[in-house]
Amino acid sequence: MKIAVPLVFINGIKSFIERFFTRKSSALLIWLSVFIGLLAGGVSALFDHGIILVSEMRLELIHRYGEGDIPLWLIAIPISSIMAATAFYITHRFAPEAGGSGIPEIEGAMEGMRPVRWKRVIPVKFMGGLLALGSGMALGREGPSVQLGANVGRMISDIFKVGKVDAQALLAAGAAGGLAAAFNAPLAGIMFVIEEMRSQFNYSLTSTKSVFLSAVMATIVMRVFTDQDAVVTVTQYSHPDLHTLGFYLVLGFCFGVIGIYFNKMILATQDIYLSIHKGRRWYFVGIGAFLGAIFGALSIVAPDVAFSGIELIPHVEGGHFLAGGLLLLFLVRTFTTLLSFGSGAPGGVFAPTLALGTLFGMLFGVIAQALFPDLITEPGAFAIAGMGGLFAATVRAPITGILLVIEMTSNYEMILPLIVTCLGATMVAQTLGGRPIYTQLLERTLKLAMRAKRQETTDKAMDRISGKYTKHDKQEEKS
């Protein structure tokens, strides 16, 4: 009897190992997901440190040449202008799909509608993102990290020649790893793929495990390069009184309305930019140079309205602004976010959206405290809830928003008001007919691609008629 128990245990382990290794496809996918997580975390860490390094080099140049009577903001204009123009040029010239956050491109690739040219996108997104974000533009690094991670996933898929279904799983795993590393938030990275990419993600036990493993490994790598602290250092709030939950629901309703109009303004801004440059490279680069000049000056004169806004969140939540200042900053940062993200610069809108949510949430809390001083004692708690509220209304991924804020701020006791705020925001946005921003951006991208393809076909037909269609054109068409 004593011998039988160890034999059963040993046979069980042996059977597990045999099943694990005989299912070669599943086992390979699991190990590739671990590898992708390591690479995605490493790329995100390098991207993060690169942004800091580029920003410091820019400031060093500004202070070096601004030691005399020339104002620092005047020195910053040409430096930031050149940086942004370079970012716009390499994006338009080598990989136009690297513009913007890149998340719609990944969702399109998971549906088989968009190509993943990782050989071009990885270097262009990395360098373009460093220059655009380093110039002072109001962009986030999270979208680029997601696109970089997903392209790493496709790179590994191509190298190991995995099947179509497995390649999609590894693409999603890379995206999860990129977001998890960027925010130091593994749960949010996992949930973003499962919730936001639910219509594209091919659910199975193996693909889900791949996403989990990649997010965990990417976070570990990021923490090795940085630290294990939360991304944002804010006040740690205790459980709010239950009778204040109604205020959080009203805050969510407000974000539901704001989110709809914010998404509309993003699309309208992109259309305005497109009507200006019409796809012409040097017009596009000129816009980049102009924006670089503006944000170069703002980064010195008014840094609160430039950059991603992550550094602004603790100051807002800490009560450093009055109600008038919060409203003004919210409006100006909305404008600078639209100006930056709508241009097609290689940068994301995650962090700027979180900053805007914090600003409006704090404004709501300050006003609520003034009206109901006996009920509301900590207006900063509404700033934390606001981070998730605007994200839920615009991206339409409430669970991701809740987890993201909790992991970013380590405010685990704020989970109930976050749920109420994000639920209210999502309900109102859905009732009023709002649609997720990344879905709308993907549809716009596909529409523009179809229009460009039709125009190219028309141009070739006209060249054939006029006799300008050469042998070289025929060879290009076949390739």
Side-chain angles (χ1 to χ4, degrees), residues 330-459:
F330 174 77
L331 294 174
V332 176
R333 272 207 70 93
T334 299
F335 178 71
T336 56
T337 300
L338 294 172
L339 203 63
S340 299
F341 184 70
S343 67
V349 75
F350 261 45
T353 301
L354 293 174
L356 289 173
T358 307
L359 283 164
F360 188 84
M362 189 66 187
L363 175 62
F364 183 92
V366 169
I367 294 173
Q369 186 183 41
L371 295 175
F372 307 96
D374 295 332
L375 293 176
I376 308 299
T377 58
E378 295 178 317
F382 290 91
I384 302 301
M387 290 176 67
L390 187 56
F391 180 90
T394 55
V395 181
R396 199 67 62 76
I399 301 175
T400 303
I402 294 164
L403 293 174
L404 187 61
V405 174
I406 290 173
E407 290 185 287
M408 281 182 67
T409 65
S410 292
N411 261 292
Y412 293 94
E413 295 189 11
M414 282 290 293
I415 187 168
L416 188 57
L418 272 165
I419 291 173
V420 172
T421 303
C422 292
L423 179 63
T426 307
M427 286 171 56
V428 170
Q430 187 171 359
T431 302
L432 296 178
R435 300 174 63 219
I437 184 59
Y438 292 125
T439 300
Q440 295 183 70
L441 290 174
L442 174 59
E443 289 176 357
R444 184 179 183 274
T445 299
L446 294 174
K447 190 183 297 182
L448 291 174
M450 286 294 292
R451 187 188 303 172
K453 191 173 182 180
R454 284 197 300 267
Q455 184 62 47
E456 184 181 354
T457 303
T458 304
D459 291 342

Side-chain angles (χ1 to χ4, degrees), residues 203-435:
Y203 287 94
S204 69
L205 182 59
T206 304
S207 62
T208 306
K209 284 191 291 186
S210 299
V211 169
F212 272 68
L213 285 169
S214 177
V216 169
M217 298 310 299
T219 306
I220 291 172
V221 171
M222 190 67 174
R223 291 184 180 184
V224 168
F225 279 96
T226 54
D227 52 52
Q228 298 196 48
D229 296 331
V231 174
V232 181
T233 304
V234 293
T235 306
Q236 299 299 301
Y237 295 97
S238 58
H239 297 287
D241 293 331
L242 294 179
H243 57 262
T244 65
L245 290 180
F247 291 95
Y248 290 98
L249 185 61
V250 174
L251 176 62
F253 290 163
C254 294
F255 276 125
V257 176
I258 293 172
I260 289 176
Y261 285 102
F262 184 69
N263 288 356
K264 288 182 178 180
M265 287 189 292
I266 286 177
L267 295 170
T269 306
Q270 290 186 334
D271 290 338
I272 292 170
Y273 276 118
L274 182 60
S275 68
I276 296 172
H277 63 73
K278 296 179 180 177
R280 293 170 291 189
R281 180 171 301 153
W282 293 110
Y283 281 71
F284 184 71
V285 174
I287 288 173
F290 177 71
L291 291 177
I294 290 175
F295 283 95
L298 286 176
S299 66
I300 302 298
V301 177
D304 286 341
V305 300
F307 303 111
S308 68
I310 288 293
E311 297 81 7
L312 179 65
I313 291 175
H315 298 288
V316 173
E317 181 273 334
H320 295 174
F321 297 92
L322 299 176
L326 290 169
L327 178 59
L328 179 62
L329 196 53
F330 174 77
L331 294 174
V332 176
R333 272 207 70 93
T334 299
F335 178 71
T336 56
T337 300
L338 294 172
L339 203 63
S340 299
F341 184 70
S343 67
V349 75
F350 261 45
T353 301
L354 293 174
L356 289 173
T358 307
L359 283 164
F360 188 84
M362 189 66 187
L363 175 62
F364 183 92
V366 169
I367 294 173
Q369 186 183 41
L371 295 175
F372 307 96
D374 295 332
L375 293 176
I376 308 299
T377 58
E378 295 178 317
F382 290 91
I384 302 301
M387 290 176 67
L390 187 56
F391 180 90
T394 55
V395 181
R396 199 67 62 76
I399 301 175
T400 303
I402 294 164
L403 293 174
L404 187 61
V405 174
I406 290 173
E407 290 185 287
M408 281 182 67
T409 65
S410 292
N411 261 292
Y412 293 94
E413 295 189 11
M414 282 290 293
I415 187 168
L416 188 57
L418 272 165
I419 291 173
V420 172
T421 303
C422 292
L423 179 63
T426 307
M427 286 171 56
V428 170
Q430 187 171 359
T431 302
L432 296 178
R435 300 174 63 219

Side-chain angles (χ1 to χ4, degrees), residues 48-312:
D48 183 48
H49 286 286
I51 293 169
I52 296 171
L53 180 62
V54 169
S55 300
E56 289 176 349
M57 290 173 62
R58 185 184 72 100
L59 284 175
E60 186 180 341
L61 283 173
I62 291 170
H63 286 284
R64 181 185 301 174
Y65 293 104
E67 292 177 350
D69 298 330
I70 305 176
L72 293 179
W73 64 268
L74 198 59
I75 300 295
I77 288 176
I79 296 174
S80 294
S81 182
I82 292 170
M83 291 171 64
T86 305
F88 277 63
Y89 173 77
I90 62 175
T91 300
H92 194 280
R93 170 67 178 81
F94 299 105
E97 64 267 40
S101 69
I103 293 174
E105 290 287 338
I106 301 308
E107 293 184 357
M110 290 179 68
E111 290 184 1
M113 297 179 179
R114 297 293 292 166
V116 182
R117 303 187 300 171
W118 56 267
K119 293 179 182 178
R120 289 171 175 258
V121 170
I122 291 176
V124 170
K125 192 74 171 189
F126 192 92
M127 294 305 301
L130 291 184
L131 293 169
L133 272 69
S135 69
M137 294 182 70
L139 298 167
R141 61 183 176 85
E142 298 74 25
S145 294
V146 172
Q147 190 175 20
L148 286 169
N151 275 264
V152 166
R154 177 53 58 89
M155 177 184 73
I156 298 301
S157 300
D158 290 347
I159 291 173
F160 286 87
K161 296 181 174 59
V162 301
K164 184 178 179 181
V165 175
D166 289 346
Q168 191 216 43
L170 295 180
L171 190 73
L179 183 62
F183 280 119
N184 196 8
L187 274 176
I190 294 165
M191 186 52 62
F192 180 74
V193 169
I194 294 175
E195 186 180 28
E196 165 60 20
M197 300 180 179
R198 58 189 176 275
S199 60
Q200 299 93 9
F201 185 58
N202 183 26
Y203 287 94
S204 69
L205 182 59
T206 304
S207 62
T208 306
K209 284 191 291 186
S210 299
V211 169
F212 272 68
L213 285 169
S214 177
V216 169
M217 298 310 299
T219 306
I220 291 172
V221 171
M222 190 67 174
R223 291 184 180 184
V224 168
F225 279 96
T226 54
D227 52 52
Q228 298 196 48
D229 296 331
V231 174
V232 181
T233 304
V234 293
T235 306
Q236 299 299 301
Y237 295 97
S238 58
H239 297 287
D241 293 331
L242 294 179
H243 57 262
T244 65
L245 290 180
F247 291 95
Y248 290 98
L249 185 61
V250 174
L251 176 62
F253 290 163
C254 294
F255 276 125
V257 176
I258 293 172
I260 289 176
Y261 285 102
F262 184 69
N263 288 356
K264 288 182 178 180
M265 287 189 292
I266 286 177
L267 295 170
T269 306
Q270 290 186 334
D271 290 338
I272 292 170
Y273 276 118
L274 182 60
S275 68
I276 296 172
H277 63 73
K278 296 179 180 177
R280 293 170 291 189
R281 180 171 301 153
W282 293 110
Y283 281 71
F284 184 71
V285 174
I287 288 173
F290 177 71
L291 291 177
I294 290 175
F295 283 95
L298 286 176
S299 66
I300 302 298
V301 177
D304 286 341
V305 300
F307 303 111
S308 68
I310 288 293
E311 297 81 7
L312 179 65

